[in-house]
Amino acid sequence: MSSTASAQCTRSPARESTVRSAAARDSADALATFRENLDAIHKRDKARYLATYVHTDRLVRHSPTSFETGYAGWPAITDNAWPDTLIVQEMRVVPIAPGVVYGYYRYIGVPTPGDTLTGVSTRVLVRTPEGMRITVTASWNDAVPPAKK
C-alpha cells in the first residue's frame, strides 16, 4: 500500500479525539435521558416519562408478544398503570453510531403487591433537536418458573 493510501485509511489523532468526545457526549446524554425515564416511572410522572420518547411514527415498541410503531395511539399516553416497584440493575449504554446509543438494564419489578417479575429492558436513543430521546423500547420478562405444587 502506498504511503498516500495508508494515510487516507488512517484517522488523524485529532479526528479520533473528536469521535471519542462525541461518543462520550452521546453516551452521557443518553444515560441522563435513560435515568430521567426511570425516575419518571418511579414518581409516576407521565409527562416526564412521555417526554423522554420521540413523538413520531419512528417510535418502535416491542415485546415477546407485540411489535408496534408510532407515538400516536400508544397506550402509555392514556394508561395510568405503573409498577408498584421497579428496581434497576446492570444499567449500561453503548454508543453505536454518531447520535445513536443503545441502552440496557435488568429489572426486578413488582407490578402489583405480591407479584414479582424479573427481566430485561432495552432502549435505542437518538439525538434530536430536543436532546437524546428514546426511539426503540423493548422489554421482556425472564422465563417464569413453574408454579409450586
Side-chain angles (χ1 to χ4, degrees):
M1 181 182 282
S2 73
S3 62
T4 304
S6 177
Q8 291 172 346
C9 293
T10 305
R11 286 186 179 168
S12 72
R15 172 79 175 123
E16 273 304 314
S17 177
T18 301
V19 169
R20 280 193 305 275
S21 293
R25 183 178 59 117
D26 286 345
S27 294
D29 291 351
L31 188 57
T33 299
F34 215 169
R35 288 180 173 152
E36 175 75 9
N37 176 265
L38 293 168
D39 189 57
I41 291 170
H42 288 136
K43 294 177 179 167
R44 295 178 166 93
D45 186 333
K46 186 182 294 195
R48 280 180 55 220
Y49 174 76
L50 295 174
T52 62
Y53 291 88
V54 295
H55 291 195
T56 70
D57 59 354
R58 293 198 174 249
L59 177 63
V60 176
R61 308 168 323 271
H62 74 90
S63 69
T65 59
S66 70
F67 182 92
E68 299 173 359
T69 60
Y71 183 81
W74 182 21
I77 296 169
T78 57
D79 191 0
N80 285 318
W82 299 96
D84 187 61
T85 304
L86 177 65
I87 300 167
V88 174
Q89 302 174 319
E90 297 179 44
M91 180 182 248
R92 298 177 189 171
V93 295
V94 178
I96 56 176
V100 182
V101 176
Y102 173 82
Y104 158 98
Y105 66 88
R106 291 204 49 78
Y107 62 83
I108 300 171
V110 180
T112 57
D115 185 18
T116 301
L117 301 170
T118 60
V120 173
S121 217
T122 64
R123 307 283 189 273
V124 175
L125 299 99
V126 295
R127 185 162 300 286
T128 71
E130 296 80 29
M132 293 302 271
R133 296 293 181 262
I134 299 165
T135 192
V136 178
T137 181
S139 186
W140 56 94
N141 296 332
D142 292 333
V144 179
K148 293 179 182 177
K149 294 183 180 184

